[in-house]
Amino acid sequence: MESIINVFLSLPAFHVYRSIIVVTFIALALWLTKALKMQTKQYFKVVWLLPFIVEIIYQTAAISYNDWKIENSLPLEFSYITSIFASIYFFKAPNKVHGLVYFCGAWSAAAAFLNTNLIGNEPWYLFVRYYGHHGALLYYAAHSVLIGFRPVKRDFIYAISFTSIVIIVGGIFNQIFNLNYMFTQSKPDGINLSSTMPPWPWYFVIILLIGLFFYTILFYLGRRKGQSSLVRHPQN
């Protein structure tokens, strides 16, 4: 327990400050959304396009600065995949988007803000990518609850299925090309809880179990018996 507490106490100042700024901005955005009743298609189209905007900024900058590498430039981290899929689902399958961001989005954002694999000397466009994707996921998850989404069993099962497929496919991709997206091959850098865990593969098994526990807690905290989970995006 002491080692876990030390991880949180040792989080770098730059990450703590930026996380506070991002969370504060999200809280303000949620308040404005509710107070001003910004429930129009146009507003939400812009909001749900944020993952693509963030990723385009990152990819363009990485290529421009000759810093694009297959080892870390593909959007194959779990949180990036989740935010991009959430954006696609909003336009193509809105009945799935809230369950996805409620479980997978909240988990990704919590892991990113309570831990970090950043060291502090990364280029600005990597910070944009990290805090942009995770900030968007936190907003999506919180907004889903704000508009009345409550998970049912099929949302829970879908989130676990989505997570499993992404990790299995990503793990195979990493194995074939000797990469480490989603940290399936080795622990991440930075200040994070994986430093308190045993070596591969046990640290990854523990992370998966923590994620499953997190999903389960969210399900039982958020569920409302007898209510459908279907919450479509706001209309004009």
Side-chain angles (χ1 to χ4, degrees):
M1 179 61 70
E2 183 179 352
S3 59
I4 294 175
I5 294 174
N6 286 337
V7 168
F8 294 128
L9 293 178
S10 301
L11 286 172
F14 80 87
H15 176 66
V16 174
Y17 296 150
R18 288 171 183 173
S19 296
I20 291 173
I21 291 172
V22 171
V23 172
T24 301
F25 181 80
I26 290 169
L28 179 60
L30 289 168
W31 178 80
L32 288 173
T33 301
K34 185 175 182 180
L36 301 180
K37 298 181 179 179
M38 294 188 294
Q39 305 291 325
T40 66
K41 282 184 178 180
Q42 290 74 20
Y43 168 73
F44 281 97
K45 280 181 179 179
V46 173
V47 170
W48 286 91
L49 281 173
L50 277 176
F52 284 101
I53 295 172
V54 167
E55 195 60 31
I56 289 171
I57 291 173
Y58 169 80
Q59 295 292 339
T60 302
I63 293 172
S64 299
Y65 286 96
N66 198 30
D67 191 35
W68 198 96
K69 302 173 184 175
I70 192 172
E71 292 86 358
N72 55 22
S73 296
L74 294 172
L76 296 181
E77 301 297 350
F78 181 74
S79 52
Y80 303 161
I81 293 172
T82 301
S83 64
I84 290 172
F85 264 80
S87 182
I88 295 171
Y89 279 177
F90 175 77
F91 295 99
K92 299 297 183 181
N95 59 312
K96 292 183 178 180
V97 67
H98 296 289
L100 178 69
V101 297
Y102 179 82
F103 289 106
C104 305
W107 163 245
S108 297
F113 292 123
L114 296 178
N115 293 259
T116 185
N117 62 339
L118 300 178
I119 299 174
N121 60 352
E122 293 85 356
W124 65 268
Y125 43 91
L126 197 147
F127 288 122
V128 169
R129 188 189 211 188
Y130 185 91
Y131 294 104
H133 276 294
H134 294 111
L137 286 173
L138 181 58
Y139 176 88
Y140 297 159
H143 183 262
S144 291
V145 176
L146 189 66
I147 63 175
F149 172 80
R150 296 295 182 268
V152 293
K153 188 175 293 185
R154 72 170 177 270
D155 300 308
F156 180 65
I157 294 173
Y158 178 77
I160 293 175
S161 301
F162 176 87
T163 302
S164 301
I165 292 171
V166 169
I167 290 173
I168 291 171
V169 173
I172 294 173
F173 182 85
N174 286 337
Q175 193 69 34
I176 293 174
F177 296 100
N178 193 29
L179 301 172
N180 192 37
Y181 287 104
M182 294 180 282
F183 314 113
T184 62
Q185 305 294 320
S186 61
K187 294 182 180 182
D189 295 326
I191 307 297
N192 51 75
L193 291 176
S194 70
S195 63
T196 68
M197 299 175 187
W200 187 93
W202 301 113
Y203 77 89
F204 194 69
V205 173
I206 292 172
I207 290 173
L208 294 179
L209 291 175
I210 293 174
L212 178 60
F213 178 74
F214 188 89
Y215 285 11
T216 304
I217 292 297
L218 283 181
F219 174 66
Y220 283 103
L221 285 178
R223 69 173 180 164
R224 184 178 297 168
K225 293 182 179 179
Q227 177 174 317
S228 171
S229 71
L230 183 59
V231 180
R232 299 188 181 278
H233 56 79
Q235 304 291 324
N236 276 328

